[in-house]
Amino acid sequence: MKTFKFEILIVLLLIGTSCVKIDNYDLPDAKIEGRIIDVYTGENLLTTQGGFAIRVWERSWDFQNNNNFESLAVKQDGSYKNTKMFAGTYDMLCYGGAFWPCDTIKGVQITSKGIVQDFEVIPYLQVTDFKCILQKEGFTGNQLLLSCKLKAPRIEGLPKLYELKSFINTTPWCGNGHSIPINEYINSRIEFNRTWEEEMKLTGLSESSKESIIYTLPPLAVKSGYTYWVRIGVAVDDANRNYNYSEIVKVEIP
């Protein structure tokens, strides 16, 4: 009886094996890269790792669902690159960043030869005249004093100002989600909760002014012998509350 059961098991295994197909499809090798460009400066729109992404929908086959998209991560320097996509026709949209909503680019042909596809965006705000000054070994020890101005290229319809915030890290990755998580640093911010026009009037400028006063943020205590990466970001009160950033400054504390 045992022999009979064993023979049945062997037959079932052979039948199951005969039904298995070998997956011999080629791995995806289509390539795309590009920049997210600030239309006012022509430079890359600086962000932080994971700050926002590019949504892509493949349109090479029928029965598409607009909720069925992939996301291409945008790097801190405002560029992106992906070398493992399936060749095909795609729609692409920059989404979730600190910029005005933009149009979808349709019919992008991505192949194994590679393609460059840039995106131009209109940032909500710009951080200008960024300064980072080291105040050495005073009464409170070493401190970094951060200051900047803000610029609003488009005022009409701009969401309320949310906050101006400093970011500091001990690695070159610096920004929201990449900052030293202690209260002294987290709370180095200026909260607004008012419109751009209200902020201009409150600070003694014309409501139509496109450039702000100089803002100085609460100081950041730093330690001797450490290297820090520092920047400032400003967010408006939209659905994402993402930041428009200054460049990153590397500071070595003697």
Side-chain angles (χ1 to χ4, degrees), residues 44-62:
N44 286 17
L45 183 76
L46 300 179
T47 182
T48 187
Q49 291 296 104
F52 67 95
I54 300 167
R55 290 183 173 181
V56 295
W57 294 264
E58 187 175 0
R59 302 303 190 188
S60 306
W61 43 282
D62 295 331

Side-chain angles (χ1 to χ4, degrees), residues 205-246:
L205 299 176
S206 166
E207 290 185 6
S208 61
S209 176
K210 292 189 174 183
E211 189 172 57
S212 75
I213 62 168
I214 296 173
Y215 294 100
T216 301
L217 285 153
L220 303 173
V222 289
K223 296 180 180 180
S224 296
Y226 280 73
T227 299
Y228 297 91
W229 284 262
V230 188
R231 74 195 312 190
I232 289 176
V234 60
V236 299
D237 195 14
D238 69 349
N240 300 297
R241 289 183 179 174
N242 267 323
Y243 295 84
N244 293 116
Y245 289 100
S246 71

Side-chain angles (χ1 to χ4, degrees), residues 1-10:
M1 188 66 179
K2 290 183 179 179
T3 303
F4 177 71
K5 288 182 177 180
F6 179 74
E7 290 174 349
I8 291 176
L9 179 61
I10 294 297

